[in-house]
Structures are given as C-alpha cells and as structure tokens.
Amino acid sequence: PNTAPVVVVSADASLVRLPTRELVATQRFSVTQPATENRVSAIVAAFDLAARDLNTQLVNWTDGAVR
C-alpha cells in the first residue's frame, strides 16, 4: 500500500491515406513512468510525463512516416 504506483500509457496509431483509406503505417506506443510516491499529485505528475513522452513519440513517428 505504501509503494508508489507505475503509470503505463499505451496507444495504437494508424496512418490512412485519404480518400482511398489505404493503410500507410501502424505503430504501437507504450510508456512506463513510475510515480515518485503513492500520492495523487505524484501519480498525476507521472501520468503527465508519460502522456507527454507518448505524444512526442507519436509526433516523431508521424513526421517520419509521411516523408
């Protein structure tokens, strides 16, 4: 009960070419971020860091996939 939890944020992304709806690329992203303590504020901060990291990975992947 006193152990700090670990936040895991995962997402599956697909790039689709319109108007044909042709699948261009797919990628699974997952980020693990341990909280610093077992408190809501620390868990929210860990979630924020994990979501930010996942979004950065998603943007970089998208940028590379469309070039």
Side-chain angles (χ1 to χ4, degrees):
N2 293 329
T3 304
V6 176
V7 173
V8 178
V9 179
S10 300
D12 291 323
S14 298
L15 289 175
V16 179
R17 181 171 287 118
L18 296 177
T20 62
R21 298 184 59 129
E22 174 189 359
L23 185 61
V24 176
T26 62
Q27 181 71 36
R28 174 169 286 174
F29 300 92
S30 186
V31 176
T32 302
Q33 179 65 48
T36 56
E37 56 185 319
N38 192 10
R39 298 177 48 88
V40 171
S41 58
I43 297 166
V44 170
F47 183 83
D48 183 51
L49 287 172
R52 191 178 315 163
D53 186 14
L54 187 134
N55 285 329
T56 299
Q57 290 180 33
L58 177 63
V59 168
N60 291 338
W61 171 74
T62 303
D63 186 45
V66 296
R67 289 182 184 225

